[in-house]
Amino acid sequence: MRNIISGICTILICFNSISFAQSTDIYLFIDSNTIIGKISDNKLFTGPSEVAYTLSGNTVYVGDSTSKEQILFLVNAKDMLHRKSGVILQADGSTVQYIAMQNSFYLGDHPIDKDNEELLHFEVINDSLTEVYSGISDLLIGVIEGKLTSQSQVTAVAHQYIRHFSLDDSVRARMAQFSVDIVTDGKSFIHPKLDMGPYYEWVWDGQTLKPLWGYRPEDEWVFDGKYLKPAWSADPQTEWVWDGKVLKPFWESGVDKQWLWDDAMLKPYWDSNPDLQWTFDEGVWRPMWRFNDAEEWVVEGYVPVPVAALVVLGMADR
């Protein structure tokens, strides 16, 4: 840490050619000799005239442009540097690129295994100094000098460090290895913690959820990352839709059947009853405020949140 900080003044002098003069500029260090980016006038520079991203409101654009075609991320967050949750969506407005929770960035729409899916996390030292740590090794990988004043800036900075160190590739490799270690033939399983018989055991193959035993085609579901549909029905009134945070019936606009996934908690969107809240921790789904083996579900492998929710909430068994 001291080596990085002691080299900041020297580096700022060396980079005068990139106009590092404004007090509002923000610098992205990876060591005492190397800067990988600078934010100035709502643009993230990676060289004297090389604009990697343009920042406007809650939007991150690619290059020196704010055209709709250049949208990279749409940011839905309030204060990701101070332990508030946030969602970073891709340009389509529905695909989740990152989830931010408690100063950490995770890959994809939800962290099933926080220990293995964390990309990086921030530690705010003061208003003008923030440390960046790898979620893979937990080692210090950078220092941000300057005050981040918008959530699009936080997103662009996180993305720059993730890209520079290929943290997303490392997380994918780790999760792939994790899956190989515990999943049989590319399949994952979800079943009650207590042995309640084969009827309640389910298998997920990455596309289809079905009962592990017996022939029950009416209880088979397919999931494409957005829509959950019965495998053998074309009735749209039986479909569910998932946007990365909310699971709801596709055919209804009411909120009484909507479920929200937020900060590793699954709960009714408009009902604060704690008895209806679920959490996923260390491979086990359980009621948030009760510890009862008879109500808990064990996941072996990787089962997406909306798919697991069908089972845990009793909707998969029709």
Side-chain angles (χ1 to χ4, degrees):
M1 170 65 183
R2 278 194 292 266
N3 288 338
I4 295 178
I5 299 302
S6 65
I8 288 179
C9 293
T10 301
I11 293 300
L12 297 185
I13 294 172
C14 292
F15 276 75
N16 279 336
S17 61
I18 316 180
S19 301
F20 286 173
Q22 301 179 23
S23 60
T24 56
D25 289 349
I26 301 165
Y27 312 103
L28 282 57
F29 290 83
I30 60 172
D31 56 42
S32 60
N33 298 308
T34 310
I35 290 176
I36 62 169
K38 166 209 156 186
I39 295 179
S40 181
D41 294 329
N42 287 319
K43 299 180 189 297
L44 194 155
F45 291 84
T46 54
S49 58
E50 298 169 7
V51 178
Y53 311 113
T54 298
L55 317 174
S56 177
N58 68 339
T59 307
V60 178
Y61 299 85
V62 175
D64 190 5
S65 170
T66 56
S67 68
K68 183 177 180 180
E69 293 74 18
Q70 296 301 109
I71 292 177
L72 179 63
F73 298 133
L74 301 171
V75 184
N76 182 4
K78 292 183 178 180
D79 194 353
M80 293 183 288
L81 283 182
H82 294 89
R83 300 189 176 279
K84 299 294 185 180
S85 297
V87 180
I88 293 86
L89 302 170
Q90 295 180 8
D92 61 10
S94 60
T95 304
V96 179
Q97 178 74 18
Y98 303 123
I99 288 286
M101 295 191 300
Q102 297 182 330
N103 292 27
S104 296
F105 272 66
Y106 298 89
L107 184 65
D109 61 353
H110 53 271
I112 291 294
D113 184 341
K114 288 186 177 180
D115 290 337
N116 288 306
E117 293 184 68
E118 183 184 17
L119 293 160
L120 56 75
H121 60 270
F122 296 108
E123 291 292 339
V124 178
I125 306 304
N126 54 48
D127 280 349
S128 60
L129 195 66
T130 301
E131 295 177 345
V132 186
Y133 289 83
S134 167
I136 307 298
S137 64
D138 205 33
L139 296 176
L140 180 70
I141 59 173
V143 171
I144 303 163
E145 195 275 331
K147 186 176 182 179
L148 296 168
T149 58
S150 72
Q151 300 309 294
S152 59
Q153 288 181 350
V154 175
T155 299
V157 166
H159 188 60
Q160 184 69 0
Y161 278 104
I162 289 167
R163 290 180 65 248
H164 182 82
F165 289 100
S166 299
L167 298 177
D168 50 346
D169 291 338
S170 296
V171 164
R172 290 189 183 97
R174 174 180 285 188
M175 293 308 295
Q177 183 60 49
F178 177 73
S179 297
V180 168
D181 291 342
I182 64 176
V183 180
T184 303
D185 295 330
K187 298 177 181 178
S188 302
F189 305 91
I190 181 169
H191 57 81
K193 189 172 185 179
L194 298 181
D195 186 0
M196 299 176 65
Y199 183 90
Y200 297 96
E201 298 181 8
W202 298 81
V203 58
W204 165 251
D205 64 8
Q207 293 182 319
T208 303
L209 173 76
K210 63 177 66 176
L212 181 60
W213 305 100
Y215 180 67
R216 290 155 48 196
E218 71 278 7
D219 292 336
E220 296 184 14
W221 296 80
V222 293
F223 178 54
D224 62 6
K226 182 175 182 179
Y227 295 102
L228 273 162
K229 307 176 183 179
W232 303 103
S233 172
D235 183 359
Q237 292 190 344
T238 60
E239 298 177 7
W240 293 76
V241 62
W242 166 253
D243 68 2
K245 291 198 69 173
V246 177
L247 178 66
K248 59 185 179 181
F250 178 65
W251 69 97
E252 291 186 13
S253 58
V255 297
D256 57 313
K257 294 182 180 179
Q258 295 185 16
W259 290 82
L260 173 67
W261 173 251
D262 185 37
D263 201 12
M265 182 190 298
L266 183 69
K267 56 187 177 182
Y269 198 93
W270 292 106
D271 191 337
S272 60
N273 184 350
D275 290 336
L276 300 178
Q277 297 174 3
W278 291 78
T279 187
F280 182 75
D281 185 37
E282 296 184 353
V284 176
W285 282 93
R286 63 170 177 81
M288 184 71 184
W289 305 109
R290 297 191 301 277
F291 292 87
N292 182 352
D293 287 351
E295 297 181 276
E296 297 182 2
W297 292 82
V298 175
V299 174
E300 299 179 27
Y302 170 77
V303 179
V305 164
V307 176
L310 282 185
V311 175
V312 170
L313 301 177
M315 299 182 294
D317 183 1
R318 298 195 298 153

